[in-house]
Amino acid sequence: MRRFLFSCLFIGISCLAMSQTVERRQVVFVDNSNDSTVFYTDGLEYAMIDSTTTVTPVEKYVKLKRKDGASVRVYLSDIKRMVFRKVREDIVLPDTPPKVGDYYYSDGTWSDGGLVSIDPEGTNPVWADEKPAPVAGKTVIGIVAVTDQERIAQGDKDAGFTHGYVVCSKFAHDPNNLSTVTHEPFPTTKFTWDDNFECDIKVKKTGKSWYADVDGRQHCRNVVEFYGDNLVAQCPTVYYTNIMPHPSTSSEWFIPATGQMWDVLANLCGNSTAQRMKGWRTVEADATYSCSAYIYDDPMARFNSTLDKVADSDKELLEAESEAHNYCPLWTSTRYDENAMDTFNVGTKYTSGNHKGKSLIECMAEWYNGDCYARPVLAF
């Protein structure tokens, strides 16, 4: 069976032609809800049928061993159909350099998102009066969030990703993080179920150290390597982010480090947010105590506005966690201490109470097995 699947997946793979167009084979798993998960066969080492050994009843699944990143487990009971198809990808990138706010597409290209100008700290952004629409016929998968060369991790530059970072237009979801009441998946994820979490990710507590950490891709790679085939069970946030499809010209999706999420929010959440966060860059005290503010603006609405013209099927907006917590808590891949990860809270305007008309923006921390939203980024 393993040899059969391997042969099916890899037959007919083509190479990059001089025309800058690549033909690639995809295997598409369509689940019982008609949602599709796509993998490129040239990114796989092998595929095999296997069975669970720790749960009853025994379940069979397809194990996809990827050349780079987490191995994938797709349960046969969840598969409605499996499709093999050949696609042609034009990998010629635009002549115009990307800028903050641009649309980023599934083919690795980008187009104007309406930004006219912005200062390096994310302050004083000027946007076009009429926001451009995405290119017809293309699928938006994110928004360009960082292009400052000084804010790109050296490891990402060395890997050839020199344009910057894109923040995903959707969240990463853990389909196994279910409500005990509705039995539907929560929109949030647990970062890890491992109380020890001994992965090689350094602790960052001060505002200064938060801003300096731009190594999210390496953090997540450390997690993938540490857990191996146990990644899905031990660190679902990194697993379900890592297996998301991405363009052949970009990195994999990953949970951003504090400094990368810092730049995303400063650049896309409006001038008031950027101005306040600029002052936090040199804070030597604990960021979860010293980097918090209520501002007369709506950073959540500002962020979501970058997706105004994107098709509903291609986006998920930031949302408030609850009525009591009028903000969206976002994971980073940076460690706060031996029990928690660094997070950001991005608020929307309160309509009543002491903070009426204001929104929260702050650095915070959450237990490893707490619930936050996972908003991936990729390097390109």
Side-chain angles (χ1 to χ4, degrees):
M1 178 63 75
R2 170 173 170 169
R3 182 177 298 172
F4 170 74
L5 265 175
F6 185 83
S7 300
C8 288
L9 288 171
F10 282 84
I11 189 169
I13 297 175
S14 300
C15 298
L16 183 65
M18 295 299 290
S19 64
Q20 297 283 319
T21 297
V22 60
E23 283 190 354
R24 305 176 75 191
R25 293 276 180 172
Q26 293 178 335
V27 55
V28 184
F29 295 97
V30 182
D31 66 18
N32 295 319
S33 300
N34 290 320
D35 292 328
S36 298
T37 304
V38 179
F39 299 97
Y40 288 98
T41 59
D42 54 0
L44 303 176
E45 288 186 9
Y46 65 78
M48 63 181 289
I49 299 293
D50 207 342
S51 301
T52 57
T53 58
T54 59
V55 298
T56 303
V58 172
E59 289 193 67
K60 290 186 177 294
Y61 60 87
V62 179
K63 178 181 177 180
L64 302 176
K65 176 63 175 176
R66 298 161 73 205
K67 294 178 181 177
D68 188 24
S71 295
V72 180
R73 180 179 295 189
V74 184
Y75 287 95
L76 297 184
S77 60
D78 294 332
I79 300 174
K80 183 176 182 180
R81 63 180 180 275
M82 185 167 60
V83 179
F84 298 94
R85 65 188 182 194
K86 181 170 65 176
V87 296
R88 294 176 62 87
E89 294 184 347
D90 181 2
I91 63 170
V92 178
L93 301 181
D95 294 331
T96 305
K99 64 183 188 303
V100 168
D102 282 357
Y103 300 111
Y104 187 78
Y105 301 103
S106 59
D107 62 1
T109 61
W110 56 85
S111 70
D112 182 26
L115 184 74
V116 176
S117 63
I118 192 171
D119 291 344
E121 305 89 354
T123 55
N124 302 312
V126 178
W127 296 86
D129 293 336
E130 178 65 26
K131 185 173 180 61
V135 175
K138 292 198 175 190
T139 301
V140 175
I141 61 172
I143 299 295
V144 176
V146 182
T147 58
D148 185 346
Q149 291 295 303
E150 295 184 2
R151 298 296 293 162
I152 303 174
Q154 188 59 50
D156 294 337
K157 289 181 181 178
D158 293 344
F161 308 122
T162 58
H163 293 296
Y165 297 108
V166 169
V167 61
C168 193
S169 56
K170 291 186 174 183
F171 297 112
H173 296 277
D174 178 0
N176 300 308
N177 190 28
L178 303 177
S179 167
T180 57
V181 177
T182 66
H183 304 292
E184 293 294 322
F186 286 112
T188 53
T189 65
K190 313 285 187 183
F191 195 87
T192 179
W193 290 105
D194 185 355
D195 292 336
N196 295 320
F197 193 59
E198 297 172 343
C199 298
D200 183 18
I201 300 176
K202 299 294 187 281
V203 169
K204 306 291 183 183
K205 285 197 171 186
T206 69
K208 184 176 181 179
S209 66
W210 277 49
Y211 180 69
D213 187 2
V214 293
D215 288 317
R217 182 166 168 264
Q218 187 58 54
H219 296 339
C220 292
R221 288 189 156 219
N222 291 345
V223 174
V224 171
E225 181 178 0
F226 183 84
Y227 287 114
D229 288 346
N230 290 323
L231 181 66
V232 63
Q234 294 295 336
C235 200
T237 293
V238 172
Y239 172 80
Y240 286 106
T241 297
N242 185 266
I243 68 172
M244 293 168 62
H246 61 86
S248 58
T249 52
S250 78
S251 77
E252 72 278 16
W253 292 103
F254 58 91
I255 300 299
T258 46
Q260 292 164 321
M261 184 61 83
W262 189 300
D263 292 337
V264 169
L265 302 181
N267 287 338
L268 299 181
C269 289
N271 183 59
S272 295
T273 297
Q275 291 283 4
R276 190 56 63 100
M277 295 183 74
K278 180 180 178 181
W280 297 342
R281 292 181 176 192
T282 56
V283 170
E284 298 281 5
D286 189 321
T288 64
Y289 291 99
S290 304
C291 300
S292 176
Y294 288 92
I295 59 176
Y296 284 105
D297 200 359
D298 197 324
M300 187 187 297
R302 297 275 187 183
F303 181 98
N304 289 341
S305 70
T306 64
L307 299 168
D308 279 350
K309 296 294 183 72
V310 176
D312 289 344
S313 59
D314 297 331
K315 68 183 178 184
E316 291 174 323
L317 303 180
L318 300 192
E319 60 185 18
E321 183 180 35
S322 65
E323 290 185 9
H325 297 155
N326 204 33
Y327 52 78
C328 184
L330 298 170
W331 286 118
T332 77
S333 56
T334 304
R335 191 194 299 267
Y336 177 74
D337 60 17
E338 66 275 9
N339 299 304
M341 302 299 290
D342 292 327
T343 63
F344 282 92
N345 290 334
V346 182
T348 190
K349 283 187 178 180
Y350 284 88
T351 57
S352 61
N354 293 335
H355 301 298
K356 182 178 180 180
K358 295 181 180 180
S359 304
L360 176 67
I361 184 74
E362 71 175 352
C363 303
M364 191 41 65
E366 182 56 79
W367 306 117
Y368 293 153
N369 63 351
D371 285 289
C372 290
Y373 292 78
R375 198 75 171 198
V377 300
L378 60 72
F380 73 118

